[in-house]
Each structure stands twice: as structure tokens, then as C-alpha cells.
Amino acid sequence: MQHWTWVMGRAQQMMLEAGLETLQQQPAIPTIPGFTDQATIERAQAFWADSMKLWQRFLDPAALTEADAKPDRRFQATEWRDNPVFDWIRQSYLLISDHILRGVDALEGVEPKQKEQLRFAAKNFVDAMSPTNFPVTNPQVIQKTIETRGENLLKGLANMLGDLGRGQLTHTDSSAFELGRNIAATPGKVVHRTPLYELIQYSPTTDTVLKTPLVIFPPWINRFYILDLRPEKSFVKWAVDQGLTVFMVSWKSADASSAEVIWDDYVSAQIDAIDTIRDGLGVEGVHAIGYCVAGTTLAATLAVLTARGEADKVKSATFFTAQVDFAQGGDLTLFVDDEQLKMIEALAPEGFLDGRYMAATFNLLRGRDLIWNYVTNNYLLGQDYAPFDLLHWNGDTTNLPARWHLSYLTDLYRDNLLVRPGALAVAGTPLDLSTVKTPAYVQAGREDHIAPAESVWKITEHFAGPIKFVLAGSGHIAGVVNPPAAGKYQYWTNDKPVGSLDEFVAGALETKGSWWPDWLGWLRDQDGEEVAAKGARKPGKGKLKALEDAPGSYVRQR
């Protein structure tokens, strides 16, 4: 095998050398853009030069350096390096992939957004074409097929057919989880219900609680229990155990009755939840958290309340990876153009968008981790699905009101109207974020691919009140769901006045572990008064009567 690898390598090296020599002579033919122009010739020369270096490493293994060995989880198996054929397949794939992406970056005369779309498509293409995704070019699959006499392929086929039947890629063993038992299990009651949401109040676990209650608005793109996973991961349980009276909004999954639901309805729902809590507990205001799209909506809610002279209804606002300015909105902006908006409209003939389409979109944003990894492990190797609460939540899709979703993509992601004073209105009230003076805690994820930190940072440029910005390690989910007991990741703070995220990072203090205790300290600084955890502080014991046990009915609806 080593001999024939040498023969193949020497043959290709001879051809590459001849081709490089021909190009270097630059024959006198007309310049054809993308074919014989100087930039294209230089890219071809670079590719051939890298190819010869690759073959040189096979001819002379001592030439391999540490710089050549970039870590890639797809190729962790020793066969990808110990077997010369698979080593050649691996390195050839990486070389070609690198040059494909570099070729896209080198394109001239293309609009920046179009180039980003091309690069996104190219990246997904090279991820899809990885040799790990095909049985005859993956040594692990070949070995597994020999060991099991093909049973792995039959089991993988069953997995694939099951996913095709469901119309959704499976990531985890969903049978391992049950709502109210080992996820979304923090004790509480549904104390208020509207056609759009249920309001859950959680049972106190401390003798006293902060007088000002906390209401959490999760994104309606997913189920609320991302913040109430297993008890050791649950932000809700942790907050309750720290002495907070916690309320959670659980949004209804859209159906045909939601055809006329628009953004105004979600803002009105947030205000309704705030007023319901204020009246039920007899308090002047609440602390509010908005996660992702619900954070964007919370910003609009604050602007509406400010314009109405009711800003005191929210004593503080916390934003988890939320955007208000979409000028740097990340890869999701690549899915917003006229053609794709028309496609979304066509996919929602009954007035709502099937949540599986959104799930597929988010999977594409991390195709290597959320698509092809599972193709290899569960379709080709026939492995069992491992139980993972976060991935179970990720696959528990919700439907979206199509009219609202289209206006959200158009008005915010495409046209970026929220940061233009008066460009948008809710229930007749023009929105102006620059009037918002509510104290805010803004959390961003350093590796967030959905709401990039640079985009989240822009909140600090539009609000007029005091803001504490915190940059957390990891991304859109793990950067938020990071309990202190886990001892994972880190976060950065900077109390000095800065004008940009780069300046913030340059002078930031890094703290190991979870940012949750930092947030709690900030929240107590806003209002540290405590009251006894009795009466209305217990679900169903005050004006807000218990309708059913948490996690309620809406979270179970398809």
C-alpha cells in the first residue's frame, strides 16, 4: 500500500510540476476572467504548490510538521493518519476545501452580502463532501461494517428512514426525557392563560424572596424549558433557590388560529404578563429577562412603556444574546432576501410555519456539528442515540405565525428598522429605543453564531440608561445555560467606559465559571428589598389562582 501510494504521489507530482511550469511561462493568449487572468493563475499556482507539498509529505514523512496537523474532530480516529490511503484522502479533502473557500474569498466584483452567501454555501458544500460522510471513504465505517457484517448499515438505514418519516433529523434519544419529570420539572403552577401564552409561577424554596419578582420571556421559536432543563442545569431552579420569585412565559405553538398574529401581539403579551404579575403580587414593577427574539421584543416593550409614561413597570431588563440592531446580524441574515421570503410564504399556506423548517435552518448554521456528525454516527455507524437534554429541547420544535415571522425577517433582519426612531410602531405607539432608560444587563456569547457578540453589543449604543455588558464564553445556548456548579467556561466584564466591543475586550477582566452569580449581584443592586415567601408568593395562594401544574399545557402542544 505504501509503495502504490508512492507511485500515485510521484505521478501526480510530475503532472503538477509540468502544469506549474506551463503556467509560469504565461503563454500569449487572451486574458479570460476567471480562467487566464493573473489572480486566477496565482490561485492555481498556490493550489498546485500546496498539492506538491502534500505529496512531498507522503514521499518524505519526516516533512510533516505540527503546523500541518490542525485538529478536526471528524478525523480523530487513528486510521486517518496511520493508514496512508486514508491519510491521503483526508489531507486531499482538507486541501481542496481550503482552496475552495479561499477562492470564494478572492472573488471580485461581488456584493459583500452575496459573497457571504456564496461562502456559506461553499462551506456547507465542503462539509457535505467530507470523506467521513461516505461509507467507502470512512475507515471507521468500513471496519464497523466488517465487524457487524453490515448490521450497522441496516440499523443506520432504519434511523434514516425514521427521520425521513418525521421530516426532521434526530439528535438524541427523546424517550429518555419527560416534561415535568426530568426536564421542565421545577415545581410551580400555571396562574394565567391567554390564546398566546401561559404564565407559570414557580414555588419558592427560601423563607424570604426579593420583593421585585422576575419574569422571563423565552423565544417562541423554541420551547421555554431551555432555561429549565435537568435540575442541575436549570436557570429557573437556580434563580428560585437564590430567593427570587420567578415567573415564566410559555408561548403557544402557532396553528391556523394564529394566522393574524403579528409582532404587536407579542409585545402586548409581554406587557400583559408584566401587568398580571404586578397586580397579582401587589408590586410596582418587575425585573424582566428577554432571551434572543424575546429580548428584541422586550426592547420594543420598554420603548412602548416609556412612550406611555409607564417605564417604572420594569425595574430592570436583562438581555440574553438579544439583538436590536441587525447591521451585523450574523449568518441568519443570509437567509433573508426576496426569493427566500417568498419561499417562506409559500411554505405557510395555513398561516403558520412548521417549526421543522426553522430547525433545519438552525442546523445548517452548524452543519458539521448538527447534521453531518449525526449522518456519520447514526446513519453510517448505526450507533444508538445518546440522551442529551439540550438536544432534546433543540428538536422539540414550535410552529411560528407566518405573518409575524415574515415581518420580523423583513423589518428587522433585512431593513433594520427597530433602531430608526419612529420607523416601527406597536399598537399605534412609535418605537424609539433611545428613550429607554431602564437599567439593563446585556449578555452576549463570544462564539454565538446566531446573535454574534458584535451585534448584541450594539444594544449599548441605542439605550439611554445604565448598562452592564457581559461577554460569556461559548455560544447562543451553552453561553447562557451555564450553571455555576458546572465550573465551565468564563466571562468578561469591563467597568470602564468603552466605545466598542474591541475596546471592551482589550480592557476586560476574565472570570472563570458562570456569569449567573454576577447577574444576581447586579440584580440585587437594583433593588435588594426582601419580603416573606408566603401568601401570593406561593403559586395559587393569592389573586393569581392555579390553573394547573407546571409546565402547563402549551409546552406539550405540537
PDB file of all heavy atoms in Angstrom, residues 12 16-17 19-20 23 39-55 91-103:
ATOM      1  N   GLN A  12       1.375  12.107  -9.775  1.00  0.00           N
ATOM      2  CA  GLN A  12       0.685  13.391  -9.684  1.00  0.00           C
ATOM      3  C   GLN A  12       1.688  14.533  -9.554  1.00  0.00           C
ATOM      4  O   GLN A  12       1.492  15.609 -10.101  1.00  0.00           O
ATOM      5  CB  GLN A  12      -0.292  13.399  -8.502  1.00  0.00           C
ATOM      6  CG  GLN A  12      -1.114  14.686  -8.433  1.00  0.00           C
ATOM      7  CD  GLN A  12      -2.311  14.565  -7.506  1.00  0.00           C
ATOM      8  OE1 GLN A  12      -2.676  13.483  -7.093  1.00  0.00           O
ATOM      9  NE2 GLN A  12      -2.909  15.687  -7.189  1.00  0.00           N
ATOM     10  N   LEU A  16       1.813  17.830 -11.848  1.00  0.00           N
ATOM     11  CA  LEU A  16       1.687  19.149 -11.237  1.00  0.00           C
ATOM     12  C   LEU A  16       2.882  20.021 -11.590  1.00  0.00           C
ATOM     13  O   LEU A  16       2.734  21.217 -11.872  1.00  0.00           O
ATOM     14  CB  LEU A  16       1.557  19.006  -9.715  1.00  0.00           C
ATOM     15  CG  LEU A  16       0.243  18.398  -9.215  1.00  0.00           C
ATOM     16  CD1 LEU A  16       0.319  18.167  -7.707  1.00  0.00           C
ATOM     17  CD2 LEU A  16      -0.930  19.290  -9.559  1.00  0.00           C
ATOM     18  N   GLU A  17       4.067  19.422 -11.566  1.00  0.00           N
ATOM     19  CA  GLU A  17       5.258  20.194 -11.912  1.00  0.00           C
ATOM     20  C   GLU A  17       5.176  20.700 -13.352  1.00  0.00           C
ATOM     21  O   GLU A  17       5.508  21.839 -13.660  1.00  0.00           O
ATOM     22  CB  GLU A  17       6.509  19.348 -11.704  1.00  0.00           C
ATOM     23  CG  GLU A  17       6.835  19.128 -10.232  1.00  0.00           C
ATOM     24  CD  GLU A  17       7.979  18.132 -10.042  1.00  0.00           C
ATOM     25  OE1 GLU A  17       8.283  17.403 -11.016  1.00  0.00           O
ATOM     26  OE2 GLU A  17       8.543  18.076  -8.934  1.00  0.00           O
ATOM     27  N   GLY A  19       2.410  21.213 -15.096  1.00  0.00           N
ATOM     28  CA  GLY A  19       1.380  22.237 -15.170  1.00  0.00           C
ATOM     29  C   GLY A  19       1.848  23.554 -14.605  1.00  0.00           C
ATOM     30  O   GLY A  19       1.576  24.629 -15.161  1.00  0.00           O
ATOM     31  N   LEU A  20       2.575  23.508 -13.499  1.00  0.00           N
ATOM     32  CA  LEU A  20       3.085  24.736 -12.892  1.00  0.00           C
ATOM     33  C   LEU A  20       4.069  25.425 -13.817  1.00  0.00           C
ATOM     34  O   LEU A  20       4.038  26.644 -13.983  1.00  0.00           O
ATOM     35  CB  LEU A  20       3.757  24.402 -11.553  1.00  0.00           C
ATOM     36  CG  LEU A  20       4.246  25.601 -10.735  1.00  0.00           C
ATOM     37  CD1 LEU A  20       3.106  26.553 -10.419  1.00  0.00           C
ATOM     38  CD2 LEU A  20       4.909  25.124  -9.446  1.00  0.00           C
ATOM     39  N   LEU A  23       2.175  27.190 -16.599  1.00  0.00           N
ATOM     40  CA  LEU A  23       1.542  28.435 -16.146  1.00  0.00           C
ATOM     41  C   LEU A  23       2.569  29.530 -15.935  1.00  0.00           C
ATOM     42  O   LEU A  23       2.323  30.702 -16.212  1.00  0.00           O
ATOM     43  CB  LEU A  23       0.774  28.183 -14.840  1.00  0.00           C
ATOM     44  CG  LEU A  23      -0.727  27.858 -14.985  1.00  0.00           C
ATOM     45  CD1 LEU A  23      -1.368  27.838 -13.609  1.00  0.00           C
ATOM     46  CD2 LEU A  23      -1.432  28.855 -15.881  1.00  0.00           C
ATOM     47  N   ALA A  39      -4.897  36.858 -11.320  1.00  0.00           N
ATOM     48  CA  ALA A  39      -5.331  36.398  -9.997  1.00  0.00           C
ATOM     49  C   ALA A  39      -5.670  34.911 -10.017  1.00  0.00           C
ATOM     50  O   ALA A  39      -5.326  34.154  -9.094  1.00  0.00           O
ATOM     51  CB  ALA A  39      -6.531  37.213  -9.514  1.00  0.00           C
ATOM     52  N   THR A  40      -6.348  34.466 -11.089  1.00  0.00           N
ATOM     53  CA  THR A  40      -6.711  33.056 -11.189  1.00  0.00           C
ATOM     54  C   THR A  40      -5.463  32.189 -11.353  1.00  0.00           C
ATOM     55  O   THR A  40      -5.353  31.117 -10.758  1.00  0.00           O
ATOM     56  CB  THR A  40      -7.663  32.834 -12.383  1.00  0.00           C
ATOM     57  OG1 THR A  40      -8.824  33.638 -12.207  1.00  0.00           O
ATOM     58  CG2 THR A  40      -8.059  31.372 -12.490  1.00  0.00           C
ATOM     59  N   ILE A  41      -4.523  32.661 -12.158  1.00  0.00           N
ATOM     60  CA  ILE A  41      -3.272  31.931 -12.338  1.00  0.00           C
ATOM     61  C   ILE A  41      -2.534  31.788 -11.008  1.00  0.00           C
ATOM     62  O   ILE A  41      -2.031  30.709 -10.662  1.00  0.00           O
ATOM     63  CB  ILE A  41      -2.386  32.626 -13.380  1.00  0.00           C
ATOM     64  CG1 ILE A  41      -2.996  32.469 -14.785  1.00  0.00           C
ATOM     65  CG2 ILE A  41      -0.963  32.064 -13.359  1.00  0.00           C
ATOM     66  CD1 ILE A  41      -2.271  33.240 -15.860  1.00  0.00           C
ATOM     67  N   GLU A  42      -2.518  32.857 -10.221  1.00  0.00           N
ATOM     68  CA  GLU A  42      -1.829  32.808  -8.930  1.00  0.00           C
ATOM     69  C   GLU A  42      -2.509  31.841  -7.975  1.00  0.00           C
ATOM     70  O   GLU A  42      -1.837  31.122  -7.215  1.00  0.00           O
ATOM     71  CB  GLU A  42      -1.765  34.205  -8.331  1.00  0.00           C
ATOM     72  CG  GLU A  42      -0.817  35.144  -9.091  1.00  0.00           C
ATOM     73  CD  GLU A  42      -0.874  36.570  -8.567  1.00  0.00           C
ATOM     74  OE1 GLU A  42      -1.716  36.840  -7.672  1.00  0.00           O
ATOM     75  OE2 GLU A  42      -0.087  37.403  -9.048  1.00  0.00           O
ATOM     76  N   ARG A  43      -3.855  31.801  -8.012  1.00  0.00           N
ATOM     77  CA  ARG A  43      -4.558  30.851  -7.149  1.00  0.00           C
ATOM     78  C   ARG A  43      -4.268  29.413  -7.587  1.00  0.00           C
ATOM     79  O   ARG A  43      -4.087  28.519  -6.758  1.00  0.00           O
ATOM     80  CB  ARG A  43      -6.063  31.125  -7.168  1.00  0.00           C
ATOM     81  CG  ARG A  43      -6.470  32.395  -6.441  1.00  0.00           C
ATOM     82  CD  ARG A  43      -7.958  32.403  -6.125  1.00  0.00           C
ATOM     83  NE  ARG A  43      -8.776  32.391  -7.327  1.00  0.00           N
ATOM     84  CZ  ARG A  43      -9.159  33.483  -7.982  1.00  0.00           C
ATOM     85  NH1 ARG A  43      -8.780  34.682  -7.538  1.00  0.00           N
ATOM     86  NH2 ARG A  43      -9.914  33.397  -9.049  1.00  0.00           N
ATOM     87  N   ALA A  44      -4.213  29.184  -8.899  1.00  0.00           N
ATOM     88  CA  ALA A  44      -3.900  27.848  -9.402  1.00  0.00           C
ATOM     89  C   ALA A  44      -2.485  27.438  -9.023  1.00  0.00           C
ATOM     90  O   ALA A  44      -2.225  26.287  -8.642  1.00  0.00           O
ATOM     91  CB  ALA A  44      -4.081  27.810 -10.926  1.00  0.00           C
ATOM     92  N   GLN A  45      -1.559  28.390  -9.119  1.00  0.00           N
ATOM     93  CA  GLN A  45      -0.181  28.101  -8.730  1.00  0.00           C
ATOM     94  C   GLN A  45      -0.102  27.743  -7.246  1.00  0.00           C
ATOM     95  O   GLN A  45       0.611  26.813  -6.858  1.00  0.00           O
ATOM     96  CB  GLN A  45       0.698  29.322  -9.033  1.00  0.00           C
ATOM     97  CG  GLN A  45       0.938  29.568 -10.511  1.00  0.00           C
ATOM     98  CD  GLN A  45       1.687  30.857 -10.785  1.00  0.00           C
ATOM     99  OE1 GLN A  45       1.660  31.769  -9.963  1.00  0.00           O
ATOM    100  NE2 GLN A  45       2.341  30.928 -11.930  1.00  0.00           N
ATOM    101  N   ALA A  46      -0.856  28.483  -6.435  1.00  0.00           N
ATOM    102  CA  ALA A  46      -0.848  28.205  -4.996  1.00  0.00           C
ATOM    103  C   ALA A  46      -1.409  26.814  -4.721  1.00  0.00           C
ATOM    104  O   ALA A  46      -0.891  26.069  -3.876  1.00  0.00           O
ATOM    105  CB  ALA A  46      -1.653  29.268  -4.256  1.00  0.00           C
ATOM    106  N   PHE A  47      -2.493  26.457  -5.440  1.00  0.00           N
ATOM    107  CA  PHE A  47      -3.091  25.132  -5.232  1.00  0.00           C
ATOM    108  C   PHE A  47      -2.119  24.026  -5.637  1.00  0.00           C
ATOM    109  O   PHE A  47      -1.930  23.048  -4.927  1.00  0.00           O
ATOM    110  CB  PHE A  47      -4.380  25.012  -6.037  1.00  0.00           C
ATOM    111  CG  PHE A  47      -4.993  23.638  -5.988  1.00  0.00           C
ATOM    112  CD1 PHE A  47      -5.560  23.153  -4.818  1.00  0.00           C
ATOM    113  CD2 PHE A  47      -4.993  22.814  -7.109  1.00  0.00           C
ATOM    114  CE1 PHE A  47      -6.115  21.888  -4.762  1.00  0.00           C
ATOM    115  CE2 PHE A  47      -5.542  21.550  -7.064  1.00  0.00           C
ATOM    116  CZ  PHE A  47      -6.112  21.084  -5.889  1.00  0.00           C
ATOM    117  N   TRP A  48      -1.471  24.191  -6.781  1.00  0.00           N
ATOM    118  CA  TRP A  48      -0.517  23.182  -7.231  1.00  0.00           C
ATOM    119  C   TRP A  48       0.687  23.101  -6.293  1.00  0.00           C
ATOM    120  O   TRP A  48       1.182  22.017  -6.010  1.00  0.00           O
ATOM    121  CB  TRP A  48      -0.062  23.496  -8.660  1.00  0.00           C
ATOM    122  CG  TRP A  48      -1.080  23.072  -9.674  1.00  0.00           C
ATOM    123  CD1 TRP A  48      -2.092  22.184  -9.506  1.00  0.00           C
ATOM    124  CD2 TRP A  48      -1.175  23.541 -11.016  1.00  0.00           C
ATOM    125  NE1 TRP A  48      -2.827  22.058 -10.652  1.00  0.00           N
ATOM    126  CE2 TRP A  48      -2.286  22.875 -11.608  1.00  0.00           C
ATOM    127  CE3 TRP A  48      -0.451  24.457 -11.784  1.00  0.00           C
ATOM    128  CZ2 TRP A  48      -2.678  23.090 -12.919  1.00  0.00           C
ATOM    129  CZ3 TRP A  48      -0.839  24.661 -13.106  1.00  0.00           C
ATOM    130  CH2 TRP A  48      -1.947  23.985 -13.663  1.00  0.00           C
ATOM    131  N   ALA A  49       1.121  24.247  -5.815  1.00  0.00           N
ATOM    132  CA  ALA A  49       2.248  24.236  -4.884  1.00  0.00           C
ATOM    133  C   ALA A  49       1.883  23.502  -3.604  1.00  0.00           C
ATOM    134  O   ALA A  49       2.658  22.691  -3.076  1.00  0.00           O
ATOM    135  CB  ALA A  49       2.690  25.665  -4.585  1.00  0.00           C
ATOM    136  N   ASP A  50       0.683  23.749  -3.080  1.00  0.00           N
ATOM    137  CA  ASP A  50       0.239  23.053  -1.871  1.00  0.00           C
ATOM    138  C   ASP A  50       0.056  21.566  -2.130  1.00  0.00           C
ATOM    139  O   ASP A  50       0.328  20.733  -1.257  1.00  0.00           O
ATOM    140  CB  ASP A  50      -1.074  23.663  -1.372  1.00  0.00           C
ATOM    141  CG  ASP A  50      -0.876  25.033  -0.736  1.00  0.00           C
ATOM    142  OD1 ASP A  50       0.284  25.374  -0.429  1.00  0.00           O
ATOM    143  OD2 ASP A  50      -1.884  25.753  -0.550  1.00  0.00           O
ATOM    144  N   SER A  51      -0.414  21.224  -3.334  1.00  0.00           N
ATOM    145  CA  SER A  51      -0.581  19.809  -3.681  1.00  0.00           C
ATOM    146  C   SER A  51       0.765  19.090  -3.692  1.00  0.00           C
ATOM    147  O   SER A  51       0.893  17.958  -3.230  1.00  0.00           O
ATOM    148  CB  SER A  51      -1.263  19.678  -5.046  1.00  0.00           C
ATOM    149  OG  SER A  51      -2.572  20.208  -5.004  1.00  0.00           O
ATOM    150  N   MET A  52       1.785  19.756  -4.244  1.00  0.00           N
ATOM    151  CA  MET A  52       3.112  19.136  -4.272  1.00  0.00           C
ATOM    152  C   MET A  52       3.680  18.981  -2.864  1.00  0.00           C
ATOM    153  O   MET A  52       4.337  17.996  -2.564  1.00  0.00           O
ATOM    154  CB  MET A  52       4.043  19.971  -5.154  1.00  0.00           C
ATOM    155  CG  MET A  52       3.781  19.747  -6.644  1.00  0.00           C
ATOM    156  SD  MET A  52       5.057  20.458  -7.698  1.00  0.00           S
ATOM    157  CE  MET A  52       4.710  22.192  -7.492  1.00  0.00           C
ATOM    158  N   LYS A  53       3.381  19.970  -2.006  1.00  0.00           N
ATOM    159  CA  LYS A  53       3.824  19.836  -0.609  1.00  0.00           C
ATOM    160  C   LYS A  53       3.149  18.639   0.051  1.00  0.00           C
ATOM    161  O   LYS A  53       3.757  17.921   0.843  1.00  0.00           O
ATOM    162  CB  LYS A  53       3.486  21.111   0.147  1.00  0.00           C
ATOM    163  CG  LYS A  53       4.318  22.319  -0.251  1.00  0.00           C
ATOM    164  CD  LYS A  53       3.870  23.552   0.533  1.00  0.00           C
ATOM    165  CE  LYS A  53       4.645  24.783   0.092  1.00  0.00           C
ATOM    166  NZ  LYS A  53       4.168  26.013   0.790  1.00  0.00           N
ATOM    167  N   LEU A  54       1.848  18.454  -0.281  1.00  0.00           N
ATOM    168  CA  LEU A  54       1.128  17.319   0.283  1.00  0.00           C
ATOM    169  C   LEU A  54       1.783  16.006  -0.138  1.00  0.00           C
ATOM    170  O   LEU A  54       2.045  15.128   0.690  1.00  0.00           O
ATOM    171  CB  LEU A  54      -0.336  17.354  -0.186  1.00  0.00           C
ATOM    172  CG  LEU A  54      -1.197  16.137   0.161  1.00  0.00           C
ATOM    173  CD1 LEU A  54      -1.264  15.929   1.665  1.00  0.00           C
ATOM    174  CD2 LEU A  54      -2.597  16.294  -0.435  1.00  0.00           C
ATOM    175  N   TRP A  55       2.080  15.862  -1.432  1.00  0.00           N
ATOM    176  CA  TRP A  55       2.700  14.625  -1.885  1.00  0.00           C
ATOM    177  C   TRP A  55       4.125  14.483  -1.346  1.00  0.00           C
ATOM    178  O   TRP A  55       4.589  13.378  -1.084  1.00  0.00           O
ATOM    179  CB  TRP A  55       2.703  14.562  -3.412  1.00  0.00           C
ATOM    180  CG  TRP A  55       1.368  14.137  -3.922  1.00  0.00           C
ATOM    181  CD1 TRP A  55       0.471  14.882  -4.616  1.00  0.00           C
ATOM    182  CD2 TRP A  55       0.757  12.864  -3.714  1.00  0.00           C
ATOM    183  NE1 TRP A  55      -0.655  14.154  -4.868  1.00  0.00           N
ATOM    184  CE2 TRP A  55      -0.508  12.902  -4.329  1.00  0.00           C
ATOM    185  CE3 TRP A  55       1.164  11.686  -3.074  1.00  0.00           C
ATOM    186  CZ2 TRP A  55      -1.371  11.825  -4.322  1.00  0.00           C
ATOM    187  CZ3 TRP A  55       0.294  10.608  -3.066  1.00  0.00           C
ATOM    188  CH2 TRP A  55      -0.951  10.678  -3.681  1.00  0.00           C
ATOM    189  N   GLN A  91      -6.119  14.426   3.844  1.00  0.00           N
ATOM    190  CA  GLN A  91      -5.373  15.641   3.571  1.00  0.00           C
ATOM    191  C   GLN A  91      -5.739  16.253   2.222  1.00  0.00           C
ATOM    192  O   GLN A  91      -5.750  17.479   2.065  1.00  0.00           O
ATOM    193  CB  GLN A  91      -3.872  15.355   3.634  1.00  0.00           C
ATOM    194  CG  GLN A  91      -3.403  14.967   5.037  1.00  0.00           C
ATOM    195  CD  GLN A  91      -1.904  15.124   5.202  1.00  0.00           C
ATOM    196  OE1 GLN A  91      -1.366  16.166   4.867  1.00  0.00           O
ATOM    197  NE2 GLN A  91      -1.263  14.087   5.713  1.00  0.00           N
ATOM    198  N   SER A  92      -6.060  15.421   1.240  1.00  0.00           N
ATOM    199  CA  SER A  92      -6.501  15.946  -0.051  1.00  0.00           C
ATOM    200  C   SER A  92      -7.816  16.702   0.103  1.00  0.00           C
ATOM    201  O   SER A  92      -8.011  17.783  -0.464  1.00  0.00           O
ATOM    202  CB  SER A  92      -6.670  14.808  -1.060  1.00  0.00           C
ATOM    203  OG  SER A  92      -5.439  14.185  -1.335  1.00  0.00           O
ATOM    204  N   TYR A  93      -8.727  16.126   0.886  1.00  0.00           N
ATOM    205  CA  TYR A  93     -10.010  16.796   1.127  1.00  0.00           C
ATOM    206  C   TYR A  93      -9.809  18.143   1.811  1.00  0.00           C
ATOM    207  O   TYR A  93     -10.390  19.161   1.404  1.00  0.00           O
ATOM    208  CB  TYR A  93     -10.918  15.908   1.981  1.00  0.00           C
ATOM    209  CG  TYR A  93     -12.055  16.669   2.630  1.00  0.00           C
ATOM    210  CD1 TYR A  93     -13.150  17.093   1.880  1.00  0.00           C
ATOM    211  CD2 TYR A  93     -12.012  17.000   3.986  1.00  0.00           C
ATOM    212  CE1 TYR A  93     -14.180  17.813   2.474  1.00  0.00           C
ATOM    213  CE2 TYR A  93     -13.027  17.708   4.578  1.00  0.00           C
ATOM    214  CZ  TYR A  93     -14.109  18.124   3.822  1.00  0.00           C
ATOM    215  OH  TYR A  93     -15.118  18.839   4.401  1.00  0.00           O
ATOM    216  N   LEU A  94      -8.982  18.176   2.846  1.00  0.00           N
ATOM    217  CA  LEU A  94      -8.742  19.426   3.564  1.00  0.00           C
ATOM    218  C   LEU A  94      -8.086  20.467   2.655  1.00  0.00           C
ATOM    219  O   LEU A  94      -8.413  21.658   2.714  1.00  0.00           O
ATOM    220  CB  LEU A  94      -7.868  19.163   4.798  1.00  0.00           C
ATOM    221  CG  LEU A  94      -8.513  18.308   5.890  1.00  0.00           C
ATOM    222  CD1 LEU A  94      -7.501  18.009   6.999  1.00  0.00           C
ATOM    223  CD2 LEU A  94      -9.737  19.001   6.477  1.00  0.00           C
ATOM    224  N   LEU A  95      -7.173  20.019   1.814  1.00  0.00           N
ATOM    225  CA  LEU A  95      -6.502  20.942   0.891  1.00  0.00           C
ATOM    226  C   LEU A  95      -7.490  21.537  -0.109  1.00  0.00           C
ATOM    227  O   LEU A  95      -7.546  22.753  -0.305  1.00  0.00           O
ATOM    228  CB  LEU A  95      -5.388  20.203   0.145  1.00  0.00           C
ATOM    229  CG  LEU A  95      -4.678  20.994  -0.971  1.00  0.00           C
ATOM    230  CD1 LEU A  95      -3.942  22.184  -0.380  1.00  0.00           C
ATOM    231  CD2 LEU A  95      -3.729  20.082  -1.739  1.00  0.00           C
ATOM    232  N   ILE A  96      -8.294  20.677  -0.724  1.00  0.00           N
ATOM    233  CA  ILE A  96      -9.262  21.157  -1.718  1.00  0.00           C
ATOM    234  C   ILE A  96     -10.297  22.065  -1.056  1.00  0.00           C
ATOM    235  O   ILE A  96     -10.659  23.120  -1.605  1.00  0.00           O
ATOM    236  CB  ILE A  96      -9.944  19.956  -2.414  1.00  0.00           C
ATOM    237  CG1 ILE A  96      -8.904  19.200  -3.247  1.00  0.00           C
ATOM    238  CG2 ILE A  96     -11.103  20.420  -3.274  1.00  0.00           C
ATOM    239  CD1 ILE A  96      -9.417  17.875  -3.793  1.00  0.00           C
ATOM    240  N   SER A  97     -10.778  21.692   0.135  1.00  0.00           N
ATOM    241  CA  SER A  97     -11.757  22.512   0.849  1.00  0.00           C
ATOM    242  C   SER A  97     -11.212  23.902   1.131  1.00  0.00           C
ATOM    243  O   SER A  97     -11.894  24.917   0.923  1.00  0.00           O
ATOM    244  CB  SER A  97     -12.155  21.836   2.166  1.00  0.00           C
ATOM    245  OG  SER A  97     -12.739  20.581   1.932  1.00  0.00           O
ATOM    246  N   ASP A  98      -9.971  23.933   1.586  1.00  0.00           N
ATOM    247  CA  ASP A  98      -9.343  25.219   1.906  1.00  0.00           C
ATOM    248  C   ASP A  98      -9.264  26.104   0.662  1.00  0.00           C
ATOM    249  O   ASP A  98      -9.568  27.300   0.714  1.00  0.00           O
ATOM    250  CB  ASP A  98      -7.954  24.980   2.485  1.00  0.00           C
ATOM    251  CG  ASP A  98      -7.242  26.282   2.826  1.00  0.00           C
ATOM    252  OD1 ASP A  98      -7.768  27.049   3.650  1.00  0.00           O
ATOM    253  OD2 ASP A  98      -6.163  26.530   2.263  1.00  0.00           O
ATOM    254  N   HIS A  99      -8.902  25.524  -0.445  1.00  0.00           N
ATOM    255  CA  HIS A  99      -8.768  26.329  -1.666  1.00  0.00           C
ATOM    256  C   HIS A  99     -10.121  26.737  -2.239  1.00  0.00           C
ATOM    257  O   HIS A  99     -10.233  27.802  -2.851  1.00  0.00           O
ATOM    258  CB  HIS A  99      -7.933  25.574  -2.697  1.00  0.00           C
ATOM    259  CG  HIS A  99      -6.463  25.712  -2.470  1.00  0.00           C
ATOM    260  ND1 HIS A  99      -5.713  26.731  -3.002  1.00  0.00           N
ATOM    261  CD2 HIS A  99      -5.599  24.978  -1.711  1.00  0.00           C
ATOM    262  CE1 HIS A  99      -4.458  26.613  -2.622  1.00  0.00           C
ATOM    263  NE2 HIS A  99      -4.354  25.554  -1.837  1.00  0.00           N
ATOM    264  N   ILE A 100     -11.138  25.919  -2.056  1.00  0.00           N
ATOM    265  CA  ILE A 100     -12.486  26.315  -2.493  1.00  0.00           C
ATOM    266  C   ILE A 100     -12.928  27.563  -1.723  1.00  0.00           C
ATOM    267  O   ILE A 100     -13.411  28.544  -2.305  1.00  0.00           O
ATOM    268  CB  ILE A 100     -13.487  25.167  -2.285  1.00  0.00           C
ATOM    269  CG1 ILE A 100     -13.250  24.072  -3.318  1.00  0.00           C
ATOM    270  CG2 ILE A 100     -14.928  25.686  -2.379  1.00  0.00           C
ATOM    271  CD1 ILE A 100     -14.137  22.848  -3.127  1.00  0.00           C
ATOM    272  N   LEU A 101     -12.759  27.550  -0.403  1.00  0.00           N
ATOM    273  CA  LEU A 101     -13.177  28.691   0.416  1.00  0.00           C
ATOM    274  C   LEU A 101     -12.317  29.918   0.128  1.00  0.00           C
ATOM    275  O   LEU A 101     -12.819  31.054   0.087  1.00  0.00           O
ATOM    276  CB  LEU A 101     -13.124  28.315   1.897  1.00  0.00           C
ATOM    277  CG  LEU A 101     -14.083  27.201   2.323  1.00  0.00           C
ATOM    278  CD1 LEU A 101     -13.890  26.849   3.789  1.00  0.00           C
ATOM    279  CD2 LEU A 101     -15.528  27.597   2.059  1.00  0.00           C
ATOM    280  N   ARG A 102     -11.027  29.709  -0.078  1.00  0.00           N
ATOM    281  CA  ARG A 102     -10.156  30.831  -0.428  1.00  0.00           C
ATOM    282  C   ARG A 102     -10.528  31.410  -1.785  1.00  0.00           C
ATOM    283  O   ARG A 102     -10.426  32.619  -2.021  1.00  0.00           O
ATOM    284  CB  ARG A 102      -8.705  30.387  -0.396  1.00  0.00           C
ATOM    285  CG  ARG A 102      -8.155  30.236   1.027  1.00  0.00           C
ATOM    286  CD  ARG A 102      -6.901  29.395   1.094  1.00  0.00           C
ATOM    287  NE  ARG A 102      -5.818  29.927   0.259  1.00  0.00           N
ATOM    288  CZ  ARG A 102      -4.631  29.320   0.135  1.00  0.00           C
ATOM    289  NH1 ARG A 102      -4.415  28.165   0.763  1.00  0.00           N
ATOM    290  NH2 ARG A 102      -3.683  29.843  -0.620  1.00  0.00           N
ATOM    291  N   GLY A 103     -10.976  30.533  -2.687  1.00  0.00           N
ATOM    292  CA  GLY A 103     -11.408  31.011  -3.992  1.00  0.00           C
ATOM    293  C   GLY A 103     -12.628  31.908  -3.897  1.00  0.00           C
ATOM    294  O   GLY A 103     -12.728  32.911  -4.609  1.00  0.00           O
TER     295      GLY A 103
END
